[in-house]
Amino acid sequence: MFNNAEQELSLPDRQVRYSLAVRIAMVLLAFFSAAWCLLQWTLTTEPRFMMEGISRQFVTLEASACAGLAAVAFVFMIANGLGWLATVIRIRRAQSGKLAVKQSARRIGAYV
């Protein structure tokens, strides 16, 4: 789907790509955060996981992996959000630059 290089994409296409990446990261963050919460709840309420043993260690490791993946999704979301914001600023600067050129052309045309 995304076979073009980053430099070849137009600014609106980049903006769409960043917004989709942020939404995907938000879904992943919600999923892994919920999984971590459920695993922590299981560790505190289930009698078979309250005692030390292999099963408790496995669930603890699984909860740690979910927390790590949630942190990675959060960082991914922040990075793409900043990329989206930078793209929006570049689009606005390009549009305001075009307006300045048009206004200058009008002023020059008024004197000619």
Side-chain angles (χ1 to χ4, degrees), residues 19 22 34-36 42 46 55 72 85 88 93 106:
S19 67
V22 167
W36 178 81
T42 301
E46 280 292 318
S55 60
V72 169
L85 187 62
V88 168
R93 283 185 182 169
R106 286 183 193 157

Side-chain angles (χ1 to χ4, degrees), residues 36-72:
W36 178 81
C37 290
L38 288 173
L39 288 168
Q40 290 298 323
W41 178 72
T42 301
L43 283 172
T44 58
T45 58
E46 280 292 318
R48 64 181 170 167
F49 294 126
M50 288 183 183
M51 296 180 297
E52 288 295 324
I54 295 292
S55 60
R56 180 173 177 84
Q57 290 175 352
F58 179 74
V59 174
T60 304
L61 179 67
E62 196 174 10
S64 299
C66 285
L69 290 171
V72 169

